[in-house]
Amino acid sequence: MSNTQWIWRYAKKNRGKIILAILFLVINAALIIVNPYLGGMVIDDVINQQKTHLLIPLLLIMIATTVIRTIVRYSYQILFERVGQNTLYDLREDLYQKLQELDFDFFNHTRVGDIMARMTGDTDAIRHFVSWVTYNIAECILWFFSAVVVMSFIDWKLMLALVAVTPIIFLLTNRMSKKAHPLFFDIRESFSRLNSMVEENIGGNRVVKAFARENFEIEKFRSYNEDFKTRNMASAKVSRSYLPWLDGLAGSLSVIALVLGGIFVINGEMTLGDLVAFNGYLWMLNNPMRMSGWLINDVQRFSAACIKIRQMLAQESKIPVHQQEKLEPIKGFVEFKDVSFHFSDDPNQNVLENINFTIGPGQTLGILGETGSGKTTLVNLVGRFYDPTEGEVLIDGKNAKEYPVRQMRENISMVMQDVFLFSNTISDNIAFGNPLA
């Protein structure tokens, strides 16, 4: 599935708004044709043929067309922005739900800053694509082909001379796209690393100050920041290599139109009014060509962002979280039966090996050991934050895997060694596990 097909799954809920916005967009493109044509009539009919009675009606039509165009364009811009914001809302909902479903193993191996970058910068790149890039691409296509059709009726030879430049622009934009794509992916990766480093320093600021490591962390940030700047400069270098050529070729259309059009007027092959109208439509060819480079950059940003977001949404928890039918109430018999465990990134090193013990309801068990000896991991196996790689954890004589995860955790109280406070009252933080307590 392509990135556009994937994001359409979120945007299609707004079909009504999209259809209405496209209708307004087509109306706007049709209205654009009116004023240059009327401008040509002012030159040929009002000035050259002295039909002065036509001046006021023509000017009123031009003013009315401009006002209607402004309203219509504003309307579809707002509609596209609404579609983009609604798409972003649903995407963030899915991302947050996915984060709540994923197990400890995912968070052990994914930087917090990387998650932050995906939830902020990457999602906003997708919103920008839906809200702005899509209608600009549609505008450029409509304007270009509308201009070609109208110009061919005025003077097909001059139109062909202008359109002859477009294949060169297409080749340049295609080459620019191929070079820009990997660079934008590198930028997103570097931004994730920078975010992670900043998040770690904010969270661990007391540790940094306690060990007087401010200068070390500042220097580390400088290296990450320099890497982010270097990758952005590499992207800017690609733009520097291609965008001036694209702008120059787009600007050459005015020169071609004036030189060839002037010759045609002198030779009597077209009227001065036709040349004025032709120049009025020129921006409809010129602007899409100028915009092509910038739009390609935005499309590549969207593509790089989609890769990161889709990777996160495709993650699967090793501990199933979907609701199962609840079993009978848990009494509290816990038995470890030949339990061994290793982390997924180090399968050759067991953290726990052949653990056997039984605890009955009301009993107290103290677990002693050095830092890193597996005490916390052992407790996490009871709540199924991890599953043992060998052996069984039995709850009331049943394998813990037979219980719905939610039922298991609703029957366990945990006091963490690292206190975390949510942005809420102290009372709500204390009663977090049971708000009705």
Side-chain angles (χ1 to χ4, degrees), residues 60-109:
L60 288 174
I61 294 172
M62 292 173 77
I63 292 169
T65 302
T66 302
V67 171
I68 295 170
R69 266 191 59 217
T70 302
I71 295 170
V72 168
R73 192 162 196 269
Y74 173 80
S75 298
Y76 71 70
Q77 285 178 328
I78 291 297
L79 285 169
F80 272 107
E81 185 61 39
R82 284 187 179 277
V83 172
Q85 291 292 346
N86 291 341
T87 301
L88 178 61
Y89 177 87
D90 290 338
L91 181 58
R92 279 180 175 154
E93 288 280 318
D94 279 1
L95 281 170
Y96 190 74
Q97 183 176 341
K98 174 58 70 173
L99 287 175
Q100 294 295 342
E101 292 176 356
L102 292 171
D103 53 23
F104 279 16
D105 191 63
F106 170 80
F107 294 101
N108 286 343
H109 300 95

Side-chain angles (χ1 to χ4, degrees), residues 270-320:
M270 67 187 301
T271 66
L272 183 59
D274 285 342
L275 181 58
V276 169
F278 207 95
N279 275 285
Y281 294 121
L282 195 60
W283 73 271
M284 295 173 69
L285 289 181
N286 192 319
N287 198 62
M289 293 181 184
R290 289 181 183 277
M291 288 285 290
S292 61
W294 301 106
L295 291 174
I296 285 291
N297 280 346
D298 284 334
V299 169
Q300 295 304 328
R301 286 191 186 97
F302 163 75
S303 179
C306 282
I307 291 170
K308 305 291 286 182
I309 296 293
R310 293 177 71 176
Q311 282 176 348
M312 180 178 286
L313 289 173
Q315 291 286 337
E316 291 294 335
S317 174
K318 295 176 182 177
I319 310 294

